[in-house]
């Protein structure tokens, strides 16, 4: 038998047998044929046929990550596959199997999905009945307006604490004071910086109110909105919260406002001249069509009860503003 030049010689045949079983030159000599060449064993007469053992397989090197050819790459954000593994019980099989992109998760807090906030709609008018709607169980957005010292914050907190449904209190002054370094103190006067921070705080309050309402939580906001600046004040609140916002004005007498302002401290306390000027501008709400509560002789619980009565009428017949 002739062999290719340079190939290893086969082992010598054993007596009574043919060439060594399982040996082939292709297994020891690289070439176009890598598989073993089958050799028919010679069996001596009268002896059982012996099944030859499987031929040894040449060791193969581990394949690295397969590269997708450049001109035949699949379009899209798919990447070249890495080392192939046996598919698991939930993996797709087949030459065309691919993993579908996972959609981004919805807006969640922990495991609780949150609906997006939307402009607050006008409260639905109940059918004509003799009884007014109960504002203590309705989901509402209320804007309490009044000068410094009118009791807006105190009434708003009490009203929110004693409702039978979840209710939040959002104070614009509190949100404005989130700015620590560079805070535009209202005592320094109204300028571009203070107006910019006021607009930012109002937009933040409106965003919070819309998200509270979208999740079934009522809210009451308080702010010293001036009637002679509708675009900056009342119009801005309507734009940021929605047309369903119910504005109510608290307007006690000037002597009551001055007395309450004197009990304040820090940047919440204004000069008597500034308080009188603000109170005079608030008088422009008379004749505006908005409901006004004179709480000069009312304490906080009584003012909150009157507020419920006003809101009940506003739900039945929303004010035009």
């Amino acid at each position: 038998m002739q062999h290719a030049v340079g190939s290893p010689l086969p082992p010598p045949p054993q007596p009574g047998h043919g060439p060594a079983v399982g040996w082939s030159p292709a297994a020891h000599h690289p070439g176009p044929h890598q598989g073993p060449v089958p050799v028919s064993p010679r069996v001596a007469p009268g002896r059982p046929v012996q099944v030859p053992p499987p031929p040894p397989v040449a060791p193969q090197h581990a394949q690295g990550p397969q590269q997708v050819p450049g001109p035949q790459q699949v379009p899209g954000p798919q990447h070249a596959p890495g080392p192939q593994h046996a598919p698991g019980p939930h993996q797709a099989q087949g030459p065309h199997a691919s993993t579908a992109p996972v959609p981004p998760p919805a807006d969640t807090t922990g495991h609780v999905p949150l609906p997006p906030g939307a402009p607050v709609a006008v409260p639905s008018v109940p059918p004509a009945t003799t009884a007014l709607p109960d504002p203590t169980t309705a989901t509402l957005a209320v804007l309490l307006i009044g000068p410094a010292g009118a009791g807006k914050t105190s009434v708003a907190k009490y009203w929110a604490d004693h409702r039978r449904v979840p209710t939040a209190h959002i104070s614009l002054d509190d949100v404005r004071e989130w700015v620590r370094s560079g805070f535009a103190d209202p005592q320094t006067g109204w300028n571009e910086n203070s107006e910019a921070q006021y607009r930012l705080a109002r937009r933040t309050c409106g965003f919070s109110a819309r998200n509270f309402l979208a999740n079934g939580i009522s809210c009451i906001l308080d702010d010293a909105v001036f009637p002679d600046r509708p675009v900056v004040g009342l119009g801005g609140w309507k734009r940021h919260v929605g047309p369903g916002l119910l504005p109510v004005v608290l307007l006690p007498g000037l002597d009551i406002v001055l007395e309450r302002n004197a009990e304040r401290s820090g940047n919440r306390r204004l000069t008597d001249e500034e308080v009188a000027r603000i109170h005079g501008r608030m008088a422009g709400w008379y004749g505006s069509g908005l409901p006004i509560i004179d709480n000069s002789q009312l304490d906080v619980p009584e003012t909150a009860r009157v507020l419920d009565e006003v809101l009940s009428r506003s739900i039945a017949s929303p004010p035009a503003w």
Side-chain angles (χ1 to χ4, degrees):
M1 177 182 296
Q2 295 182 355
H3 300 278
V5 177
S7 62
L9 295 177
Q14 299 178 4
H17 298 277
V21 179
W23 183 92
S24 66
H28 301 275
H29 179 73
H33 301 286
Q34 297 295 332
V37 178
V39 180
S40 301
R42 297 179 182 179
V43 182
R47 301 187 65 173
V49 179
Q50 296 182 358
V51 180
V57 180
Q60 298 181 358
H61 298 284
Q63 297 180 357
Q66 299 181 359
Q67 301 293 333
V68 177
Q72 298 181 358
Q73 289 183 353
V74 180
Q78 300 179 357
H79 302 283
Q84 297 182 355
H85 303 280
H90 301 290
Q91 294 180 351
Q93 301 182 9
H96 301 288
S98 61
T99 304
V102 180
D107 185 14
T108 59
T109 298
H111 300 286
V112 181
L114 297 177
V120 180
V122 177
S124 59
V125 180
T129 58
T130 56
L132 292 175
D134 184 5
T136 61
T137 58
T139 303
L140 302 174
V142 181
L143 175 61
L144 208 55
I145 302 171
K152 303 184 300 297
T153 302
S154 300
V155 173
K157 286 182 177 180
Y158 183 92
W159 185 82
D161 287 339
H162 292 80
R163 298 195 77 220
R164 289 184 286 175
V165 294
T167 305
H169 169 231
I170 306 174
S171 175
L172 181 130
D173 286 342
D174 291 343
V175 176
R176 288 185 67 186
E177 292 179 356
W178 289 355
V179 179
R180 307 304 298 176
S181 177
F183 171 68
D185 195 328
Q187 294 187 6
T188 61
W190 188 263
N191 50 45
E192 293 182 358
N193 191 25
S194 57
E195 180 171 346
Q197 292 188 11
Y198 169 80
R199 290 177 180 269
L200 177 60
R202 183 184 58 193
R203 185 166 65 246
T204 303
C205 292
F207 176 81
S208 301
R210 288 167 60 163
N211 279 276
F212 277 127
L213 268 295
N215 290 272
I217 301 177
S218 298
C219 61
I220 181 169
L221 309 101
D222 65 83
D223 182 25
V225 181
F226 295 108
D228 54 353
R229 305 195 67 181
V231 177
V232 177
L234 198 57
W237 280 113
K238 185 175 183 179
R239 182 171 62 255
H240 291 303
V241 179
L245 184 64
L246 300 176
V248 180
V249 180
L250 287 183
L251 193 55
L254 177 59
D255 55 339
I256 301 298
V257 171
L258 290 173
E259 179 182 345
R260 293 174 179 172
N261 179 71
E263 299 174 356
R264 294 183 171 186
S265 61
N267 58 10
R268 296 291 181 95
R269 180 175 180 176
L270 305 178
T271 63
D272 290 348
E273 294 76 11
E274 183 69 13
V275 172
R277 186 183 66 83
I278 294 175
H279 187 275
R281 293 177 62 181
M282 289 290 174
W285 287 119
Y286 287 104
S288 64
L290 297 185
I292 299 177
I293 300 175
D294 183 357
N295 58 334
S296 300
Q297 305 300 323
L298 302 177
D299 58 12
V300 172
E302 292 174 337
T303 305
R305 178 183 55 81
V306 176
L307 177 60
D308 278 332
E309 298 175 357
V310 171
L311 293 175
S312 180
R313 293 190 293 267
S314 296
I315 296 173
S317 179
W321 60 290

